[in-house]
Amino acid sequence: MAEAAVPRVDAGNGDDGATLVDAIARLATEAQRSPAVELGSTRAWADAAGATARLHGGPVALVHTACAHPLLQLSEQSPKAGTRSRAPAAATAAVQRRMFKAVAAILASLCASGHTHHPVRPNLPFAAVAAPKRKRGEAKALAAANFKRTSAAPLVHNAADLHCAIASVMRNASVSPLSVHLLLPFTPAFDTAAPGFHSLIISRLCTDLSYASEVWQILQPPFYSFPLVSELPTSESDVYPQHIVNAVSFLVKTGTNAVIAVMRDSPQLRSLVFSGIDSQWHEVLASTAENIANSATSSTENMSTEDEANRGAEFRNILLEAKQVTRIRHKCYELVVSAQASDSRLVQSHLPAHEAIVTAGRLSTLGWLVREVARFLHSADSDSTTNSDGVYAEDLRFVEGPVPLLGGMLAEIPQPHAMLAAHVAITQLARAMSRVYAGPGAADGADKELLSLFYGAVAAVLRPIGFAGRSEGEWAWVDTVCATAINVAMRKDDLRQVHHQQLSHQQPLGPPQVEHLESDQRVDGEDANRPDDDDDDHVMDESAAIERYTGGSAIVFVADEPTFREFETATCDSGSFNCVAFDCEWRPDSWKLFGERDSPAATLQIAIGLLRSDGEVNTRIFQNVKVFVLGLAEISEADMVRVVGRLFLDKVILKLGFGFAEDTSRLRRRYPSFPAEMRNYYDLSTVTTAMRSKQYFQAKKKISLADMVLQYLGVSLDKRVRMSDWEIRPLTQRMLTYAGNDAKVLLDLYQQMLREGDLGKAKGDTGKKKKGQQK
């Protein structure tokens, strides 16, 4: 396919002073249409610029005329100094960049062409003023000599004048800060010549996150030069001006990787930047926490709406920037700290405290875990077995699932900010759960039972940071947040009374007492009347109405010497099995900060079976199936390598897995000497040619194990306890069943795919993760 031609814009003949204005208008039109614009004849643009300069009184008027186009101005909605946004309001940053670069090229062509402003006869070119009328030969020779004598001076003169004009434009608050591109043909050394002007440019550019490339460019020579490490004095207190520190801090918040090398070489700059960010964020976090406490105990009439909005915007900015700041912070200290830490994976624990940065980083990842809690509570409400009182005895313990993970995450946040983190978590959880309550035809009984789960979850999440079941004093906001979110969704006043009785009673909060509620018949499975939504807050269990996979085999938990001997005996008898299915579980860590170590595998599930045939390929079935769940914290590395490592390296026994590359990586985090690859391995996540011919998974970007099981076995996998802390002991019965079934189902899946002829021939190692596969 031929590439689209880059549009070229011509300036015209330069005879009319309005030519440059008209040409820039055409240039703006093309800049908005195309990602690249080329100028036409350089000489024509120079003539047009020169004519405009002479007509309007010099280079200052020329530059102001060139920058007068509305596309290059800031509108009233554009970010003011001290604030930030993600895109300019008047036009996109990309279009403004193209425009200013084109104008800079025009000004550069004006200097290169030899045009200059003459005070005596401003409407004539310089050569016409200098050369009197002579004979043809004499005039030609004199003109050439005159050009040689005067060409250098006009260049310098024009550059200096244009530089002053550009500086005046950049001081104009109504012009976009991207006017910094006009300086590129006339680059001064600001660190020695005009530090105040340099500071002004940086302060204007740091108002918008999309200006990061310009901020970095203005920190490069000849605008500014970072001192070399060998040049730094013993006392570095005044080495870096404040506007330089501010610029580097801005680049850190935008995730600009180029600043990493600069800060690695300068401990003082590194300390100034991250200490400054930490101090600034600490004030915002403390102010936000104070507002939360005040809003729960005082009237909102005395609070300034504008101040409240500004604080909220600052807090949201912190959450947006936290991921990049924590990443660059780790990168900057990585080389320095790795020399001190015995294990490079422990760099995070050797970093400076920076409590506010760490808190913001964890707060920025709360949303994902909160949504998992909401999904867990809804699935427990839809599919759990109740006791005689209608209360979920197993669920209300909150041992499994993501609820204890959220509470543990809050407990890791430094105490000055723990209350704010708790407020953010409970607010997001109430908002997510209110989507379930808001079903237009949802049964009251199901809602009340789900409400009981929600209140119990709130108490379980907050208990690790000191909540004792009383929404009073510093915990008054709990009652406000939960009651507001739920009652707005349900429009039922009786739930407010239920909420007070659940959270405000004097005894420590245990399983919610719901005897005062009407004894409604429990709704089994998915309620068809509840809302279906496709966004990130969707908490409905789409497979609840489909029959669950049960496995059907006894599961042995291997965590001591007798059970390990039983497992070893079963796997040493090679005649009793010819296929092994593997799967792993680990403590979820998707919310960890950049540089923190991934969780090692906590359990290894192994299902063994003997695949036999009755003479027909499509009648092969597994026999003598046994399922084991190995508690890896209780098994030594030597035993694992000797028994399980032997299975990995066996060339005869067929190994099954589903995207096992990540599982192998987690295993090796716990057992470094464990084999990195399997032999004779088949990855069931492979979408074969036969599957494509049957148009399976056509609408799926990522194929999960649940998708495969539903397609071939017609049942759903119970994933409710997937997001659990798999390091806990003992495992609950549901966790043990879930883990064992994840391995056993691979045998059943392989057997069915073999019958339908959908298996591929590719057998590979576990070291490569295939594109589009999902655990």
Side-chain angles (χ1 to χ4, degrees):
M1 180 181 296
E3 296 184 0
V6 177
R8 295 172 59 88
V9 180
D10 293 319
N13 56 21
D15 293 335
D16 186 358
T19 299
L20 182 63
V21 178
D22 296 338
I24 288 181
R26 295 196 302 272
L27 182 67
T29 301
E30 293 297 339
Q32 291 176 296
R33 293 176 180 174
S34 174
V37 177
E38 288 185 359
L39 299 178
S41 169
T42 302
R43 182 67 190 185
W45 277 103
D47 289 343
T52 303
R54 292 190 302 274
L55 181 65
H56 294 285
V60 174
L62 166 66
V63 174
H64 282 280
T65 301
C67 296
H69 193 279
L71 188 63
L72 303 181
Q73 306 295 307
L74 289 178
S75 67
E76 296 179 357
Q77 291 77 26
S78 299
K80 300 178 181 179
T83 63
R84 286 190 299 277
S85 69
R86 289 207 167 266
T92 64
V95 174
Q96 288 186 343
R97 281 191 186 94
R98 290 196 290 272
M99 280 292 295
F100 278 116
K101 288 179 179 180
V103 173
I106 295 170
L107 299 179
S109 67
L110 175 62
C111 288
S113 67
H115 282 283
T116 185
H117 170 66
H118 197 279
V120 180
R121 300 179 65 184
N123 293 328
L124 295 177
F126 178 80
V129 176
K133 189 173 182 179
R134 299 175 183 274
K135 294 181 180 180
R136 179 175 299 180
E138 293 177 350
K140 185 175 182 180
L142 183 59
N146 184 46
F147 176 78
K148 292 180 180 179
R149 184 178 69 254
T150 61
S151 59
L155 286 172
V156 176
H157 178 67
N158 275 332
D161 285 353
L162 288 172
H163 170 258
C164 293
I166 292 168
S168 67
V169 168
M170 296 187 65
R171 289 187 175 94
N172 187 347
S174 64
V175 180
S176 169
L178 289 175
S179 57
V180 68
H181 285 284
L182 300 177
L183 282 173
L184 297 184
F186 323 99
T187 52
F190 284 136
D191 54 341
T192 58
F197 187 37
H198 196 211
S199 175
L200 173 65
I201 296 174
I202 288 177
S203 64
R204 293 199 63 202
L205 287 172
C206 288
T207 59
D208 195 287
L209 299 178
S210 60
Y211 299 157
S213 60
E214 283 74 24
V215 174
W216 175 245
Q217 194 169 16
I218 208 70
L219 292 179
Q220 302 305 300
F223 300 105
Y224 181 80
S225 297
F226 287 97
L228 300 176
V229 178
S230 58
E231 298 174 353
L232 293 176
T234 305
S235 176
E236 304 178 17
S237 57
D238 298 325
V239 172
Y240 300 101
Q242 186 58 46
H243 67 278
I244 299 297
V245 176
N246 294 341
V248 176
S249 300
F250 173 82
L251 293 174
V252 169
K253 294 175 183 178
T254 59
T256 305
N257 292 322
V259 299
I260 296 175
V262 174
M263 288 194 290
R264 276 178 173 175
D265 294 337
S266 176
Q268 197 253 2
L269 179 61
R270 189 168 60 236
S271 175
L272 286 174
V273 169
F274 288 112
S275 296
I277 294 175
D278 187 71
S279 176
Q280 176 190 2
W281 286 9
H282 178 82
E283 294 179 4
V284 175
L285 294 177
S287 175
T288 306
E290 183 180 357
N291 293 338
I292 290 171
N294 293 337
S295 63
T297 58
S298 62
S299 173
T300 59
E301 296 179 356
N302 298 326
M303 302 178 65
S304 170
T305 304
E306 184 177 356
D307 291 343
E308 191 73 16
N310 290 338
R311 294 193 199 99
E314 290 178 345
F315 181 65
R316 288 191 294 272
N317 282 337
I318 285 178
L319 298 186
L320 291 173
E321 298 163 354
K323 182 177 180 180
Q324 299 294 354
V325 172
T326 53
R327 179 181 64 83
I328 292 185
R329 170 176 171 265
H330 179 272
K331 289 288 187 180
C332 288
Y333 284 96
E334 187 175 24
L335 295 182
V336 179
V337 178
S338 59
Q340 305 171 3
S342 57
D343 188 343
S344 60
R345 293 168 295 184
L346 303 179
V347 170
Q348 186 69 33
S349 62
H350 288 73
L351 294 178
H354 298 152
E355 290 183 348
I357 293 178
V358 174
T359 299
R362 301 212 183 276
L363 287 176
S364 67
T365 62
L366 268 178
W368 177 83
L369 189 53
V370 165
R371 286 191 293 271
E372 290 294 333
V373 172
R375 291 187 179 97
F376 173 79
L377 294 180
H378 180 262
S379 63
D381 170 70
S382 300
D383 201 43
S384 293
T385 302
T386 64
N387 60 22
S388 58
D389 296 326
V391 180
Y392 309 89
E394 180 69 17
D395 290 322
L396 288 173
R397 293 171 55 208
F398 294 112
V399 175
E400 59 195 15
V403 173
L405 295 175
L406 182 56
M409 180 180 178
L410 297 181
E412 295 176 1
I413 293 177
Q415 189 57 39
H417 309 298
M419 191 66 69
L420 173 60
H423 183 276
V424 173
I426 300 305
T427 300
Q428 293 183 359
L429 180 59
R431 186 179 299 116
M433 294 302 296
S434 68
R435 297 180 63 82
V436 179
Y437 302 146
D444 287 346
D447 282 332
K448 292 170 183 176
E449 291 168 345
L450 180 58
L451 190 62
S452 298
L453 285 172
F454 172 63
Y455 293 146
V458 169
V461 167
L462 298 180
R463 190 175 293 119
I465 59 174
F467 182 69
R470 304 172 69 174
S471 55
E472 300 175 355
E474 65 176 352
W475 297 103
W477 59 267
V478 177
D479 182 81
T480 304
V481 168
C482 297
T484 300
I486 295 173
N487 284 286
V488 166
M490 295 199 68
R491 301 289 194 270
K492 292 182 180 180
D493 293 335
D494 59 325
L495 291 179
R496 189 182 302 276
Q497 179 181 3
V498 174
H499 177 78
H500 280 277
Q501 294 183 9
Q502 293 296 332
L503 284 180
S504 300
H505 58 74
Q506 300 299 317
Q507 299 299 324
L509 187 63
Q513 305 298 316
V514 293
E515 287 81 4
H516 61 282
L517 298 177
E518 295 181 4
S519 178
D520 295 316
Q521 182 65 29
R522 175 168 163 70
V523 179
D524 292 325
E526 182 77 9
D527 191 331
N529 292 322
R530 288 183 176 172
D532 192 3
D533 204 345
D534 293 331
D535 62 18
D536 290 339
D537 290 329
H538 177 53
V539 295
M540 310 295 284
D541 187 357
E542 298 177 355
S543 60
I546 303 174
E547 182 182 354
R548 297 285 190 187
Y549 177 80
T550 57
S553 299
I555 301 173
V556 178
F557 183 63
V558 179
D560 52 26
E561 186 174 349
T563 53
F564 187 80
R565 281 200 302 266
E566 178 184 352
F567 165 70
E568 184 176 10
T569 301
T571 55
C572 285
D573 185 6
S574 59
S576 62
F577 69 99
N578 55 12
C579 185
V580 184
F582 292 98
D583 187 58
C584 281
E585 303 297 336
W586 52 84
R587 188 180 190 273
D589 55 9
S590 298
W591 60 85
K592 67 181 184 300
L593 298 182
F594 186 91
E596 290 185 329
R597 184 180 181 181
D598 290 340
S599 300
T603 64
L604 173 64
Q605 300 86 258
I606 299 178
I608 61 176
L610 182 63
L611 186 62
R612 287 185 173 178
S613 173
D614 294 335
E616 298 290 338
V617 174
N618 59 0
T619 60
R620 291 183 180 180
I621 59 173
F622 278 106
Q623 299 178 349
N624 302 330
V625 175
K626 297 180 181 178
V627 182
F628 300 91
V629 176
L630 280 61
L632 301 184
E634 295 82 7
I635 301 176
S636 67
E637 182 171 5
D639 287 339
M640 279 293 295
V641 173
R642 176 173 54 85
V643 179
V644 182
R646 175 181 54 82
L647 294 176
F648 266 48
L649 299 177
D650 193 291
K651 298 181 180 180
V652 177
I653 298 175
L654 174 65
K655 271 77 68 177
L656 303 177
F658 194 92
F660 202 73
E662 178 70 10
D663 302 61
T664 302
S665 174
R666 302 281 181 162
L667 277 172
R668 287 175 55 79
R669 290 191 183 280
R670 185 173 290 276
Y671 304 122
S673 61
F674 197 80
E677 297 181 358
M678 285 189 205
R679 295 178 179 175
N680 195 18
Y681 165 74
Y682 186 83
D683 189 351
L684 288 171
S685 68
T686 304
V687 178
T688 63
T689 303
M691 295 181 194
R692 294 191 184 95
S693 66
K694 297 179 181 180
Q695 297 185 347
Y696 289 171
F697 315 117
Q698 293 296 312
K700 288 281 188 178
K701 293 182 179 180
K702 294 183 178 180
I703 310 301
S704 67
L705 178 58
D707 294 329
M708 286 283 193
V709 170
L710 183 61
Q711 178 66 51
Y712 285 97
L713 303 182
V715 295
S716 65
L717 292 177
D718 186 359
K719 292 287 186 179
R720 188 178 358 166
V721 298
R722 174 179 60 90
M723 297 297 302
S724 299
D725 184 359
W726 292 92
E727 298 284 354
I728 64 171
R729 296 293 184 270
L731 298 178
T732 67
Q733 184 58 46
R734 285 195 297 197
M735 292 174 68
L736 184 63
T737 301
Y738 167 84
N741 284 349
D742 258 16
K744 170 63 168 55
V745 76
L746 296 179
L747 299 181
D748 296 338
L749 184 60
Y750 181 84
Q751 176 180 289
Q752 186 62 29
M753 293 173 69
L754 186 64
R755 289 175 178 175
E756 297 187 19
D758 286 351
L759 290 174
K761 298 181 179 180
K763 295 179 181 179
D765 56 52
T766 59
K768 297 179 180 180
K769 186 180 293 185
K770 292 180 172 58
K771 182 178 180 181
Q773 74 183 25
Q774 180 182 357
K775 184 64 181 171

